[in-house]
Amino acid sequence: MVVWPIPAGVSACLERLRRAGYAAHPVGGCVRDLLRGERPEDYDVCTSARPEQVTALFAHTVPTGIRHGTVTVLTADGPVEVTTFRREEGYADGRHPDGVAFDVGLEEDLARRDFTVNAMALGPDGEVIDPFGGQADLAAGVIRCVGNPDARFREDALRMLRAVRFAAKLGCTIQPDTRAAILRNAGRTALVSGERIKGELEKILVSPAPEWAGEVVRWGLLAHLWPVRDCPDLTGLGALPPRPIPRWRGFCQATGFPLGCLPVERALKRGVYHPELEVVRQLALTGGELAALGWQGSEIGRLQRRLAAHVLAHPEDNRRAVLLALAEQERREAP
């Protein structure tokens, strides 16, 4: 028996399902992360119990995706998504199944998943259930589709961006057949909402290998938004703080990508196009100190922006004495 560091609330959820006579398995990304020796951010469970049976077993549930078999069980260790073993049927919109059937077992449920590293489950004794070679691919650092990659990407075009994201996050390469299928199907990302594209691209940018965002451009995954495939080397992005604003700013500056073609929040757009506003909060000389020195009202904001622009170009000058000297210089030169 293998003992995994699974939170007590998740273990209790699994135990209740099993004691009621249902199969229940941790599945997907949490298994991948456990095999990597990492703490999973969240846990998904797949089960033979139907959604209404899951709801009847637990006092606190949310019907988050009940049409597709998913019920969120609220535990002391956070929410757990519990999804009935299912087969998906038809993908008219290229993103979501037209319907699902709950007449399958675990292996067929795993067969519908995107990549082999995400198509593993844990058995009751902690054994890894891995019918598609996910452990070998994880050890080799390879992102590979489960089954036919063209079929996987026709079912859900977002999976192409997810392939790049997992390569960037896990330090993997993309298996040649999977990569070739991305190139063949890249135009299908036009079926994906701007919000989901923005989300996946941002996860790539803040990952340990943000240069993978260059492949998103080169492979044409953004071509329906921005018809450009030439992309410079983006390895320099890794030197920037792994936060959305600095990484988006570096990406847009390096590539010329027009951020406005995606639905982004105002704060992100402001941070990308007006980096001096972000620096204002980091200045070694505060607005209150400027007010004490005799600056007033809107003058303070204008001076802070000018000081921030200077610090952007000369980060070493973000010291109180230097900024005071610059402020006094501004005062003397003011008309």
Side-chain angles (χ1 to χ4, degrees):
M1 182 170 181
V2 182
V3 179
W4 298 96
I6 295 174
V10 181
S11 296
C13 176
L14 291 163
E15 183 62 22
R16 178 167 292 190
L17 285 162
R18 289 166 181 164
R19 285 210 317 241
Y22 304 112
H25 307 271
V27 69
C30 64
V31 178
R32 178 199 68 226
D33 292 344
L34 288 168
L35 287 169
R36 284 169 52 85
E38 297 178 352
R39 179 180 178 179
E41 294 179 5
D42 48 44
Y43 282 81
D44 292 336
V45 167
C46 61
T47 180
S48 59
R50 300 293 181 99
E52 63 275 12
Q53 294 167 326
V54 175
T55 301
L57 277 176
F58 296 93
H60 303 290
T61 64
V62 180
T64 42
I66 203 157
R67 176 170 170 256
H68 294 123
T70 299
V71 174
T72 298
V73 175
L74 305 179
T75 78
D77 292 295
V80 178
E81 284 201 351
V82 178
T83 302
T84 305
F85 297 152
R86 73 189 194 201
R87 181 178 67 251
E88 297 177 346
E89 301 171 337
Y91 296 83
D93 66 355
R95 275 286 289 119
H96 307 96
D98 300 331
V100 299
F102 302 134
D103 58 349
V104 302
L106 173 61
E107 184 164 338
E108 190 168 349
D109 183 79
L110 294 175
R112 70 176 174 80
R113 296 172 185 266
D114 51 9
F115 309 111
T116 60
V117 297
N118 295 333
M120 296 179 283
L122 296 180
D125 293 324
E127 72 276 18
V128 179
I129 301 168
D130 178 20
F132 303 106
Q135 290 179 93
D137 283 344
L138 195 60
V142 173
I143 301 300
R144 178 196 312 267
C145 280
V146 174
N148 184 313
D150 288 293
R152 296 287 81 79
F153 298 144
R154 284 195 299 269
E155 291 165 353
D156 183 354
L158 184 67
R159 287 171 171 166
M160 293 181 282
L161 286 163
R162 283 169 55 84
V164 179
R165 192 239 295 178
F166 285 124
K169 176 184 177 181
L170 304 177
C172 293
T173 61
I174 296 179
Q175 187 266 346
D177 288 345
T178 296
R179 178 185 180 277
I182 292 175
L183 296 175
R184 286 192 296 269
N185 291 277
R188 295 182 64 80
T189 52
L191 300 171
V192 181
S193 72
E195 289 84 0
R196 298 305 296 271
I197 291 173
K198 185 261 182 183
E200 291 297 324
L201 186 51
E202 184 164 290
K203 289 174 183 176
I204 295 166
L205 288 171
V206 300
S207 76
E211 63 271 16
W212 273 97
E215 304 300 350
V216 175
V217 176
R218 295 182 195 103
W219 295 351
L221 294 171
L222 301 177
H224 65 292
L225 299 171
W226 183 53
V228 171
R229 295 201 181 202
D230 293 330
C231 186
D233 180 12
L234 297 180
T235 52
L237 292 181
L240 299 174
R243 301 192 304 272
I245 287 177
R247 292 284 176 90
W248 272 111
R249 183 190 303 138
F251 174 69
C252 292
Q253 288 176 346
T255 64
F257 179 75
L259 190 61
C261 71
L262 289 173
V264 298
E265 57 273 24
R266 184 180 300 175
L268 176 59
K269 190 177 293 186
R270 187 170 59 244
V272 168
Y273 292 122
H274 297 284
E276 72 281 0
L277 298 180
E278 183 182 14
V279 177
V280 164
R281 297 193 296 272
Q282 303 165 7
L283 289 176
L285 187 61
T286 68
E289 290 174 305
L290 290 170
L293 291 168
W295 296 86
Q296 298 178 356
S298 60
E299 292 178 335
I300 295 174
R302 285 195 295 270
L303 178 57
Q304 285 182 307
R305 289 192 292 274
R306 287 196 289 273
L307 293 175
H310 177 87
V311 168
L312 268 175
H314 307 281
E316 69 280 4
D317 285 351
N318 192 19
R319 290 174 288 140
R320 189 174 186 278
V322 175
L323 297 183
L324 277 171
L326 290 170
E328 287 304 319
Q329 181 180 337
E330 287 277 349
R331 191 195 301 273
R332 289 193 300 270
E333 294 176 355

